[in-house]
Amino acid sequence: MVIVMSPGATDDDIAHVVERVESVGGEAFVSKGVVRTIIGLVGDIESFHHLNLRTLRGVADVRRISDPYKLVSRQHHPDRSTVWVGPSGRQVPIGPGSFTFIAGPCAIETAEQTVEAARMAQSAGATILRGGAFKPRTSPYAFQGIGAAGLKILAGVREATGMPVVTEVVDARDIEIVAEHVDMLQVGTRNMANFGLLQAVGEAGKPVLLKRGMSSTIEEWLMAAEYIAQRGNLDVVLCERGIRTFEPATRNTLDISAVPVVQAASHLPIIVDPSHAAGRKDLVVPLTRAAIAVGSDGVIVDVHPNPETALCDGPQALLGTELRELAQAVRRLPPMVDRVDARELIR
Ligand code: PEP
Ligand code: MN
């Protein structure tokens, strides 16, 4: 941490700052310039926060140098992490060096629809099945998901296909039952800053897929991941799913630069959701190509056997020609950026 003193700060002001820092066991290194003095602090940053340094006379600014998130930062963990999803024998990696394709319906509707979507996903090359049983909808009148019945369907399809499953949890009270049925818990964009939910999924003993809040900065998102990590769960995969901007042509604006920015700041894996970013099926393949090229560790895509009757997000669901194009992209492009298909690494 660095303190910048104002040009008018006196020797007494500087001495007082040094005294306060030393009172909590810190060290203060004073560097006097012609106009300004800066003071470098070494020690426990949390104890410095309690000093309310900005309130001291002569202090113009206080700047943090280290990341505010610790456990998920690369500062103390330079190697990028791999998160393994699923039971032994079917564990799929998400991380550096590999490319993981996750697909499935936005919402679980019926057993038939889910099996069909899972088969479509699997034949297109997906290794993990997605599907929402509890849907976090903006409108309370919109379809809310079929709840626990959907979890049972997911567990059945998981057995039938051998695919590990990821599903969203919207309420901390559901975590236990969700964790009993699936391999990975998703926290959606609307709950990224629900700190109680983050802490609870941090204690659930399953990997977590943490989507970026639609209006959250990358730092806020990494702080949300820190909440999960702080409860002892470092198996967190981040997911860029588009953010709110002024542009109405797409549902959200995919922040493609978030991928390398996150990879520089955090050791956690990061994947991209082109379906929820665009909200339009015609953009899913181009955005998937962009995600692979920029270095994403995977993608998560909506597929549906009959988008016309889908109860949720039909306009962005792939099938037929688009799904074939997607399958081709996820097969051909990752090797060009030195990534191995996660299917080859299942253990
Ligand atoms: C979803 O993946 O089903 C979903 C609701 O996504 P998001 O939270 O990104 O809107
Ligand atoms: Mn959706």
Side-chain angles (χ1 to χ4, degrees):
M1 204 175 242
V2 172
I3 299 174
V4 182
M5 300 300 288
S6 57
T10 64
D11 285 349
D12 277 354
D13 295 339
I14 295 167
H16 183 59
V17 170
V18 172
E19 190 189 307
R20 296 293 290 141
V21 169
E22 289 175 350
S23 76
V24 294
E27 286 182 275
F29 297 91
V30 177
S31 168
K32 283 198 174 174
V34 180
V35 182
R36 282 182 186 266
T37 294
I38 60 170
I39 307 174
L41 308 195
V42 176
D44 175 36
I45 211 149
E46 295 313 320
S47 66
F48 297 151
H49 284 312
H50 298 306
L51 295 174
N52 284 337
L53 292 164
R54 271 177 218 270
T55 66
L56 302 187
R57 205 176 54 206
V59 171
D61 197 8
V62 178
R63 297 205 192 145
R64 217 188 146 116
I65 298 171
S66 54
D67 292 334
Y69 39 85
K70 299 186 179 86
L71 301 169
V72 308
S73 166
R74 268 185 101 160
Q75 278 182 343
H76 306 291
H77 190 303
D79 292 335
R80 298 197 56 232
S81 301
T82 295
V83 171
W84 291 85
V85 181
S88 179
R90 296 182 195 167
Q91 271 193 318
V92 178
I94 307 179
S98 55
F99 186 81
T100 309
F101 175 26
I102 304 172
C106 178
I108 303 305
E109 297 164 14
T110 64
E112 295 69 36
Q113 168 252 7
T114 309
V115 177
E116 239 184 289
R119 296 283 180 214
M120 287 164 60
Q122 207 167 28
S123 34
T127 45
I128 298 176
L129 176 67
R130 64 146 289 149
F134 297 95
K135 295 306 301 176
R137 305 307 297 279
T138 302
S139 164
Y141 304 109
F143 173 64
Q144 304 285 313
I146 62 171
L151 298 177
K152 296 222 159 46
I153 293 174
L154 275 173
V157 175
R158 176 178 181 265
E159 289 324 303
T161 59
M163 293 172 94
V165 169
V166 57
T167 202
E168 180 161 355
V169 53
V170 298
D171 187 321
R173 290 169 294 189
D174 300 326
I175 288 177
E176 209 177 309
I177 185 171
V178 172
E180 274 170 27
H181 289 82
V182 304
D183 305 281
M184 186 181 215
L185 307 180
Q186 177 173 327
V187 175
T189 193
R190 292 163 189 79
N191 273 312
M192 187 213 81
N194 181 339
F195 303 116
L197 183 66
L198 297 174
Q199 288 170 329
V201 296
E203 289 171 358
K206 295 274 175 170
V208 177
L209 182 63
L210 177 63
K211 290 196 151 192
R212 179 180 182 178
M214 61 184 90
S215 303
S216 297
T217 65
I218 290 172
E219 183 170 299
E220 287 163 345
W221 185 19
L222 293 175
M223 291 300 267
E226 187 81 7
Y227 265 93
I228 301 170
Q230 204 216 10
R231 292 291 162 128
N233 187 356
L234 270 168
D235 286 333
V236 180
V237 175
L238 301 163
C239 178
E240 163 59 43
R241 48 79 68 202
I243 52 174
R244 280 252 158 115
T245 67
F246 52 81
E247 177 52 64
T250 49
R251 189 155 86 170
N252 296 281
T253 299
L254 179 63
D255 181 9
I256 199 79
S257 52
V259 174
V261 169
V262 162
Q263 287 175 344
S266 171
H267 59 88
L268 299 179
I270 175 167
I271 66 169
V272 166
D273 180 343
S275 306
H276 288 84
R280 285 169 43 177
K281 66 176 178 178
D282 60 316
L283 298 183
V284 172
V285 171
L287 293 182
T288 296
R289 291 190 187 118
I292 297 169
V294 85
S296 178
D297 300 314
V299 287
I300 179 166
V301 174
D302 282 10
V303 300
H304 196 288
N306 187 1
E308 278 181 33
T309 63
L311 296 177
C312 188
D313 286 346
Q316 70 197 32
L318 299 195
L319 87 164
T321 316
E322 277 117 0
L323 186 56
R324 278 192 291 280
E325 264 183 60
L326 182 78
Q328 205 173 61
V330 297
R331 192 178 62 244
R332 287 189 184 162
L333 301 183
M336 298 169 91
V337 288
D338 297 325
R339 284 184 183 262
V340 174
D341 189 325
R343 280 183 292 187
E344 291 173 32
L345 302 172
I346 291 172
R347 64 177 194 196

